[in-house]
């Protein structure tokens, strides 16, 4: 029981019952003011330790005062109870006192008034007769109320949007709370008033009308909460009385005082017993049914209330009999219910004294708590992670149980990742939850070097993929101060008195950590945001970032060059190391007189640029040197610009030498590496190399058998140089004829080479050779260059001669090569299917490296498809080429190559519609070209199921673009598509009649019935003088089409459900498939109902798995690159199929418990997920 209250506090607070209660939101810590301190409302006489006269006097005086106040209230108020509840809640305490006074004078009229208020609060007006109150049966009244609801004679005050009812819920809760507190010294224990009220409330809570269940549950749950308030006050009074009795017994005197205390102790105990029985009655009659109600709001209220009851009155509710309901509702299908249960458990585990009583509960439900960390709802998952942290704090979980949680370090939700990051830091790095570990090394256990060492141990499992490492660093950074200890990190990298010896892998991870931490400290993102919104910072944040930038510069200033020298040759470390300088305050080099260190730094970066040929290293060096040449001041800026000019001159000289070596027959490696360097440099700035451009053209003309990668980078550099020349001319005030003719010459040379390789790659792939990166680059470079010199851009200007539009033959060759790139993956799939038919798969893939290479190649092929489709779509969207040819060709591939290509085509269609282009002709032509591919496939093979499906899917997706308002707006276009499609189908009938079935039919659902009738008549007229019996199979599509038209007309189904042809995407996070059998904790509730529920879950799982397959393509890219071995050092046990490269396996935990509307069967205690 709660500790007794202080006498002085009780004496001063007794009069507070008349105060206006604060607004209480039910289900959200309601009545916390009362339940938090049992002494607030304790009777004053319980605390007196004086004479017997002192003990009996206060009650009479308190009653006299109450009668006086009630008399005054009677003069002031003439409203009914329900009017007060609907209106001003401030009047509730006074009205309650008045009602209690009336009840004490004449119980029946007052009780009738209270019950009628109860009915009207539920929305029904039902009159009870005072003289028949005792004979009235509760069930008869409830049946009558249900009949009123069926007739629609019920008003829902609780859910009403009317302004006058906005406080109805709070006022109703306040009324019952005040009533119980006011009745605690009398009517509460008369076994009449509240027994009758509870009977009606429980009965109404089990009725079909939802409004009855909602209001009755609200009142019933509040009754228990208020009963707890009274029980706690009585408990405090009982403890005080017991102390007084013990003190009297020590005096060894018998008398009226001892007898009075014994009597009072017995009476108080009896009252507590009675009130606990009333709590149990409501719990068994209302809660055990409504916590399973079909209305999630009712279930949430039940669970929130149960959490408050357990916290407020643990002597009764903190036992498995009640705790199990919190465990069962962790499986509820509503996210709000699951969250309410988790929050209630968080409050329980937050109190250390509760933990021993939660042992069996934790053993039973801890697995489910861990699963909820991966819940489909982000807010539930974050709360569940907080709950797991509390379990770890009390050492109730083993490390092996945390395996699934560590996968969430690379989840696509930022909130979940950071919540897991906090758990990882507390549990694995700071080791706050294990006192023996955290203090085993004394003060050194909390040092930055120790924490960094533990972080490196985690990062070892992600070393193979830098992206995953960055995700983990981002998750933990906010909580780990050691990541901002720049001096410690630099000291560890330079091996200055290390406590931990770094391996080469650790050094790489530590440099990545240093670079990522620097970026985070100055306000940059290191993980892409899901919403792509620009970050905005206030003045204080900007000042903090600037201070961090200054601290980083001071820490790196003297040691930066040493780090570069040490790791100069390491291609994995140098990109992150060089990146740091762009986040430093370079002015400090002058202020601190460290100019020589800065010059040394630039020289080392230049050396790194010529030492490496990988993209990351080159890009970092170019970015760093450009930053220094633009951000420095004075002498240092001149030095940086001179160093950049030296780098350009040296690079051009190396390229000329490499070209000469290739022409002399030497190796192409030097040329390739320097072309990569020039390409990275040209991406950020113009590099003048006039003579070098001619050398590039010459080597391309002379050496047709060069490596594809060399050719690609030659073309890239030539196109970038042409683009920079065009940029210079456009931005010049005066354009010389010489510069214009030079640009035209370079452009024509570039087009000549691109068209040559366009022909070459087309011929190579027609011979059946595998597609290559060079073909994709030719397509993208050609499209980009065409866009740069778009004819309409320069028409009617002085630069009109620069305008260019490819002729139809070149455009057709361009699309042919693009189409070949799109179809490469399908050809490869057919090839591998044939291989798998001839050989055992496990023998064919002899090594894991081979399988990884194949996965990487698939990714490259997919990227190539996206690139060529974007290039082609860009030409149509920007009107670079006529849309009549290329537009339909692109759209005809809408559904053939996965979601990424489909999204590109979808965006193109949106652009075309905005321009009010001739969309109906483009759509029809796209379907005709897809149908033509089907006919070609039909001539080659008997199996045309895929080509037929492609045609139907294309028509369905195109028709789905005419939905809602667009359907009415584009009605004319839809009619044109259908009529022109019918014309095409009847050309050389019945050869193309199947076009009606695979294409035209899908657009009919977008038309009203009158239009469909007109189309039906027109189609029938076409066959009036035709003998269709000569070729029944050929005319079958015609009759199928006619039957479909008639069916739509007969059903008046002109406007079909708009879900047809459209993919309905689920909201929330992707689901995760699981099959976990929960342990049985309470054997007495293992019922047949549970078995049926589990069986229904099995049936539902099939639908869920199909849904997961549909969501595979929508999963974030990060899931496709998870490392299956990344958690070994964390000693985790992974779920089957966890961590595979298939994005579909990285879904989310789901909930399958169906809530019953009025079921009173046993609760669920075992659920398969």
């Amino acid at each position: 029981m709660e500790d007794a209250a202080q006498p002085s506090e009780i004496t001063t607070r007794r009069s507070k019952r008349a105060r206006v209660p604060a607004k209480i939101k039910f289900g959200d810590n309601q009545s916390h003011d009362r339940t938090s301190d049992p002494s607030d409302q304790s009777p004053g006489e319980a605390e007196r330790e004086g004479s017997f006269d002192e003990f009996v006097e206060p009650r009479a005086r308190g009653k006299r005062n109450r009668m006086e106040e009630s008399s005054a209230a009677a003069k002031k108020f003439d409203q009914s109870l329900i009017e007060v509840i609907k209106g001003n809640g401030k009047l509730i305490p006074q009205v309650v006192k008045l009602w209690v006074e009336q009840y004490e004078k004449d119980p029946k009229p007052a009780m009738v008034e209270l019950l009628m208020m109860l009915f009207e609060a539920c929305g029904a007006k039902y009159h009870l007769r005072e003289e028949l109150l005792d004979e009235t049966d509760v069930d008869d009244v409830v049946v009558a109320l249900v009949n009123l609801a069926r007739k629609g004679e019920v008003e829902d005050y609780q859910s009403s949007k009317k302004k006058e009812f906005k406080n109805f819920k709070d006022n109703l809760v306040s009324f019952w709370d005040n009533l119980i507190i006011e009745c605690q010294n009398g009517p509460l224990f008369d076994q009449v008033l509240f027994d009758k009220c509870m009977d009606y409330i429980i009965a109404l809570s089990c009725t079909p009308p939802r409004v009855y269940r909602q209001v009755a549950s609200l009142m019933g749950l509040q009754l228990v909460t208020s009963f707890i308030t009274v029980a706690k006050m009585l408990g405090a009074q009982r403890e005080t009385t017991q102390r007084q009795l013990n003190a009297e017994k020590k005096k060894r005197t018998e008398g009226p005082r001892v007898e009075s205390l014994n009597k009072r102790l017995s009476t108080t105990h009896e009252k507590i017993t009675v009130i606990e029985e009333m709590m149990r009655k409501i719990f068994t009659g209302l809660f055990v049914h409504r916590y399973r109600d079909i209305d999630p709001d009712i279930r949430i209220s039940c669970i929130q209330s149960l959490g408050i009851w357990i916290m407020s009155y643990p002597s009764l509710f903190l036992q498995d009999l009640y705790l199990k309901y919190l465990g069962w509702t962790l499986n509820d299908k509503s996210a709000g219910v699951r969250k309410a249960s988790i929050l209630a458990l968080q409050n329980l585990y937050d109190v250390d004294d509760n933990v021993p009583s939660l042992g069996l509960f934790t053993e039973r439900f801890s697995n489910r708590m861990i699963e909820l960390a991966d819940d489909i709802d982000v807010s539930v998952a974050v709360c569940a992670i907080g709950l797991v942290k509390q379990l770890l704090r009390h050492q109730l979980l083993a490390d092996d149980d945390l395996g699934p949680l560590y996968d969430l370090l690379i989840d696509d939700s930022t909130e979940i990742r950071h919540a897991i990051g906090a758990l990882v830091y507390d549990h694995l790095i700071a080791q706050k939850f294990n006192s023996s570990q955290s203090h085993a090394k004394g003060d050194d256990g909390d040092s930055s070097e120790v924490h960094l060492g533990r972080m490196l141990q985690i990062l070892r499992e992600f070393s193979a993929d830098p992206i995953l490492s960055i995700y983990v660093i981002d998750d933990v950074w906010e909580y780990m101060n050691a990541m901002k200890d720049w001096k410690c990190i630099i000291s560890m990298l330079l091996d200055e008195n290390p406590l931990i010896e770094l391996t080469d892998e650790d050094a790489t991870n530590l440099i990545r950590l240093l670079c990522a931490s620097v970026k985070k400290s100055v306000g940059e993102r290191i993980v892409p945001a899901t919403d792509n919104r620009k970050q905005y910072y206030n003045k204080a944040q900007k000042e903090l970032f600037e201070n961090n930038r200054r601290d980083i510069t001071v820490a790196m200033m003297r040691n930066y060059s040493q780090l570069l020298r040490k790791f100069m040759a390491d291609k994995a470390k140098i990109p992150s190391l060089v990146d740091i300088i762009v986040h430093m305050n370079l002015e400090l080099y002058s202020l601190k007189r460290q100019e020589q260190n800065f010059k040394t730094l630039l020289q080392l970066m230049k050396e790194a640029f010529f030492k490496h040929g990988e993209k990351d290293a080159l890009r970092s060096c170019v970015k760093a040197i450009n930053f220094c040449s633009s951000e420095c001041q004075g002498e240092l800026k001149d030095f940086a610009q001179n160093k950049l000019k030296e780098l350009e001159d040296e690079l051009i000289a190396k390229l000329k030498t490499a070209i000469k070596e290739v022409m002399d027959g030497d190796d192409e490696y030097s040329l390739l590496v320097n072309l990569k360097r020039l390409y990275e440099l040209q991406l950020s700035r113009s590099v003048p190399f006039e003579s070098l451009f001619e050398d590039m053209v010459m080597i391309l003309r002379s050496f047709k058998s060069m490596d594809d990668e060399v050719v690609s980078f030659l073309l890239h550099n030539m196109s970038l140089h042409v683009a920079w020349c065009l940029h210079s001319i456009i931005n010049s005030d005066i354009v010389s004829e010489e510069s214009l003719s030079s640009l035209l010459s370079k452009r024509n040379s570039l087009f000549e080479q691109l068209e040559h390789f366009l022909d070459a790659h087309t011929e190579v792939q027609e011979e059946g050779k595998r597609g290559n990166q060079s073909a994709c680059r030719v397509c993208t470079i050609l499209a980009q260059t065409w866009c740069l010199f778009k004819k309409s851009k320069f028409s009617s200007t002085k630069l009109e001669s620069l305008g260019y539009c490819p002729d139809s033959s070149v455009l057709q060759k361009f699309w042919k090569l693009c189409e070949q790139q799109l179809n490469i993956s399908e050809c490869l799939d057919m090839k591998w299917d044939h291989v798998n038919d001839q050989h055992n798969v496990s023998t064919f893939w002899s090594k894991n490296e081979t399988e990884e290479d194949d996965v990487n190649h698939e990714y490259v092929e997919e990227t190539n498809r996206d690139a060529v489709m974007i290039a082609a779509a860009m030409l149509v969207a920007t009107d670079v080429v006529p849309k009549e040819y290329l537009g339909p060709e692109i759209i005809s591939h809408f559904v053939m190559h996965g979601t990424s290509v489909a999204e590109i085509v979808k965006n193109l269609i949106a652009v075309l519609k905005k321009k009010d282009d001739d969309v109906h002709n483009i759509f029809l032509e796209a379907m005709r070209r897809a149908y033509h591919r089907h006919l070609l496939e039909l001539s080659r093979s008997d199996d045309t199921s895929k080509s037929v499906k492609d045609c139907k899917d294309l028509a369905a997706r195109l028709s789905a673009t005419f939905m809602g308002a667009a359907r009415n707006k584009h009605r004319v276009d839809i009619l044109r598509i259908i009529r022109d499609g019918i014309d095409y189908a009847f050309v050389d009938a019945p050869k193309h009649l199947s076009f009606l079935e695979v294409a035209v039919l899908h657009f009919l659902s977008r038309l009203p019935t009158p239009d469909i009738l007109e189309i039906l008549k027109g189609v029938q007229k076409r066959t009036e003088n035709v003998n269709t019996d000569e070729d029944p199979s050929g005319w079958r599509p015609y009759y199928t089409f006619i039957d479909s038209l008639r069916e739509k007309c007969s059903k008046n189904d002109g406007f079909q459900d708009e879900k047809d042809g459209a993919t309905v995407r689920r909201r929330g996070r992707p689901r995760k498939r699981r099959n976990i059998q929960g342990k049985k904790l309470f054997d007495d509730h293992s019922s047949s109902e549970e078995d049926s529920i589990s069986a229904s879950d099995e049936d539902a799982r099939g639908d869920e798995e199909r849904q997961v397959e549909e969501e595979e393509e929508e999963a974030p890219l990060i899931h496709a690159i998870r490392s299956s071995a990344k958690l070994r050092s964390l000693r985790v046990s992974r779920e089957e199929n966890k961590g595979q490269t298939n994005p579909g396996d990285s879904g989310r935990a789901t909930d399958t418990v169906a809530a019953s509307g009025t079921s009173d069967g046993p609760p669920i205690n075992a659920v398969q997920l």
Side-chain angles (χ1 to χ4, degrees), residues 432-450:
K432 295 179 180 179
F433 305 144
N434 191 335
S435 57
S436 61
Q437 287 182 343
S438 60
H439 298 292
K441 298 181 181 180
D443 294 336
D444 292 338
D446 292 329
S447 69
S448 295
E449 197 162 359
V450 172

Side-chain angles (χ1 to χ4, degrees), residues 476-626:
V476 182
W477 184 86
E478 182 181 349
Y479 314 100
M480 186 173 171
N481 291 328
M483 285 194 193
K484 294 86 149 176
D485 193 341
W486 318 116
K487 292 182 179 179
C488 179
I489 296 174
I490 294 170
S491 175
M492 291 176 67
L493 287 171
L494 295 175
D495 296 328
E496 297 176 354
N497 301 319
L499 291 175
I500 301 172
E501 184 176 352
L502 295 181
T503 64
D504 182 68
E505 181 183 24
D506 288 339
T508 301
N509 287 328
L510 189 57
I511 289 176
R512 288 175 184 165
L513 184 149
L514 174 62
C515 180
S517 184
V518 166
K519 291 179 180 179
K520 291 279 289 182
S521 297
V522 297
E524 285 199 11
R525 287 189 178 121
I526 60 175
V527 172
T530 54
D531 55 5
N532 294 322
R533 293 181 181 177
K534 185 178 179 181
Q535 287 181 300
Y536 293 96
Y537 299 109
N538 56 36
K539 183 178 180 181
Q541 289 174 316
K542 291 177 181 178
E543 290 178 356
L544 176 63
F545 295 152
E546 197 57 40
N547 291 335
N548 290 340
R549 195 185 303 273
R550 184 183 185 89
D551 294 341
I552 293 165
T553 307
V554 171
M556 294 289 296
M557 194 177 292
R558 297 180 184 275
N559 299 303
Y560 202 169
S561 57
Q562 297 179 44
L563 291 172
L564 284 177
R565 284 194 186 96
K566 181 176 181 179
F567 301 109
M568 174 68 72
D570 197 322
K571 63 181 182 181
K573 299 180 180 65
I574 203 68
S576 299
L577 202 54
V578 172
D579 263 345
I580 295 174
I581 196 170
V582 301
H583 306 291
M584 294 168 57
N585 185 349
L586 300 184
E587 292 182 4
L588 293 177
Y589 276 93
S590 298
L591 296 176
K592 301 282 186 180
R593 297 186 178 181
Q594 297 292 321
E595 292 88 348
Q596 189 56 45
N597 278 335
F598 179 78
K599 294 177 181 179
T600 304
L601 203 57
L602 277 176
Q603 181 61 35
L604 290 171
M605 288 180 181
K606 177 187 170 185
E607 292 177 13
F609 178 79
F610 286 108
K611 195 172 189 67
H612 295 280
E614 296 77 18
K615 180 183 73 173
D616 292 338
L618 294 175
R619 193 159 293 181
S620 296
C621 291
V622 170
K623 182 180 178 182
I625 296 175
N626 280 332

Side-chain angles (χ1 to χ4, degrees), residues 1040-1080:
T1040 302
F1041 185 70
I1042 292 294
D1043 291 341
S1044 299
L1045 289 176
R1046 288 172 177 166
E1047 182 181 359
K1048 291 181 182 297
C1049 293
S1050 63
K1051 292 183 177 181
N1052 195 24
D1053 193 20
F1055 289 95
Q1056 187 175 338
D1057 187 357
E1058 295 192 359
K1059 291 182 181 178
D1060 291 352
T1063 302
V1064 181
R1065 298 181 62 183
R1066 288 180 55 256
R1067 301 181 70 85
R1069 302 170 66 224
R1071 291 175 177 258
K1072 178 171 290 182
R1073 287 175 284 183
R1074 297 214 175 158
N1075 185 17
I1076 300 172
Q1077 177 64 47
K1079 299 177 183 177
K1080 300 281 186 177

Side-chain angles (χ1 to χ4, degrees), residues 882-1091:
K883 63 180 180 298
E884 287 75 18
Y885 168 73
L886 196 54
E889 289 286 1
I890 295 172
I891 294 174
S892 69
H893 287 263
F894 196 174
V895 295
M896 295 177 60
H897 310 291
T899 54
S900 57
V901 171
E903 196 65 25
I904 296 167
V905 178
K906 182 179 177 181
N907 290 330
L908 174 62
I909 291 173
V911 171
L912 293 176
K913 282 191 171 185
K914 285 181 180 179
K915 292 181 177 181
D916 289 328
D917 281 333
D918 196 10
V919 177
H920 71 278
N921 281 333
I922 295 176
F923 279 12
L924 180 61
E925 186 62 27
M927 291 188 293
R928 288 178 58 183
R929 294 185 188 182
Y931 182 71
H932 179 66
R933 288 196 296 268
H934 162 65
L935 295 179
L936 289 177
E937 186 68 22
L938 185 63
S939 65
R940 298 172 186 166
S941 171
D942 294 334
D943 183 12
T944 59
S945 57
K946 184 179 185 304
S947 60
V948 171
K949 183 178 183 300
D950 287 343
C951 289
K952 290 183 177 180
D953 290 346
L954 174 63
R957 291 295 293 270
L958 292 179
S959 66
T961 62
F962 298 111
M963 291 196 303
R967 179 166 52 187
N968 300 322
K969 178 181 178 182
H970 297 282
R971 174 177 168 273
V972 175
D973 289 338
I974 298 172
L975 282 170
R976 287 177 181 174
I977 292 172
I978 293 174
R979 288 168 178 165
D980 292 350
I982 292 173
D983 291 341
Y984 171 75
F986 276 92
V987 173
D988 196 14
K991 185 178 179 181
H992 297 152
L993 285 178
S994 59
F995 186 75
L996 295 173
E997 187 177 358
V998 300
V1000 178
L1001 189 61
H1002 294 275
F1003 287 85
L1004 291 172
S1005 61
R1006 309 301 168 189
L1007 291 177
T1009 303
D1011 289 340
I1012 297 177
L1013 283 171
E1014 184 180 348
I1015 291 170
L1016 175 61
K1017 294 176 183 178
V1019 174
Q1020 288 175 330
K1021 284 182 181 180
R1022 292 174 181 268
T1023 58
E1024 286 180 351
N1025 299 318
V1026 177
N1027 183 10
T1028 60
D1029 295 333
E1030 293 180 355
D1031 187 2
S1033 61
W1035 285 91
R1036 182 194 58 78
Y1038 163 76
Y1039 287 109
T1040 302
F1041 185 70
I1042 292 294
D1043 291 341
S1044 299
L1045 289 176
R1046 288 172 177 166
E1047 182 181 359
K1048 291 181 182 297
C1049 293
S1050 63
K1051 292 183 177 181
N1052 195 24
D1053 193 20
F1055 289 95
Q1056 187 175 338
D1057 187 357
E1058 295 192 359
K1059 291 182 181 178
D1060 291 352
T1063 302
V1064 181
R1065 298 181 62 183
R1066 288 180 55 256
R1067 301 181 70 85
R1069 302 170 66 224
R1071 291 175 177 258
K1072 178 171 290 182
R1073 287 175 284 183
R1074 297 214 175 158
N1075 185 17
I1076 300 172
Q1077 177 64 47
K1079 299 177 183 177
K1080 300 281 186 177
L1081 177 58
F1082 304 102
D1083 296 333
D1084 56 324
H1085 285 289
S1086 180
S1087 66
S1088 59
E1089 182 180 345
E1090 296 164 13
D1091 298 335

Side-chain angles (χ1 to χ4, degrees), residues 54-67:
E54 292 175 337
F55 166 67
V56 297
E57 181 65 24
R59 174 166 186 145
R61 185 166 62 246
K63 186 172 182 179
R64 240 186 353 257
N65 293 338
R66 189 178 66 188
M67 292 178 65

Side-chain angles (χ1 to χ4, degrees), residues 708 760-776 817 820-829 831-832 835 844-845 850-862 864-865:
D708 284 344
H761 285 299
T762 304
E763 293 172 0
V764 166
Q765 295 194 14
E766 280 182 343
E767 294 173 2
K769 295 185 180 180
R770 190 167 183 158
N772 53 51
Q773 192 77 11
S774 179
C776 173
L817 184 58
Q820 288 172 351
Q821 294 297 307
L822 292 171
N823 294 328
I824 280 175
S825 62
E826 281 77 5
C827 297
L828 289 175
D829 290 341
K831 178 179 177 181
W832 289 125
V835 170
F844 187 80
W845 295 120
T850 307
E851 185 175 355
E852 291 177 2
D853 290 343
D854 190 67
V855 170
N856 291 335
H857 186 77
E858 281 185 19
Y859 174 75
V860 170
E861 297 291 354
E862 184 178 349
N864 288 348
R865 285 202 304 269

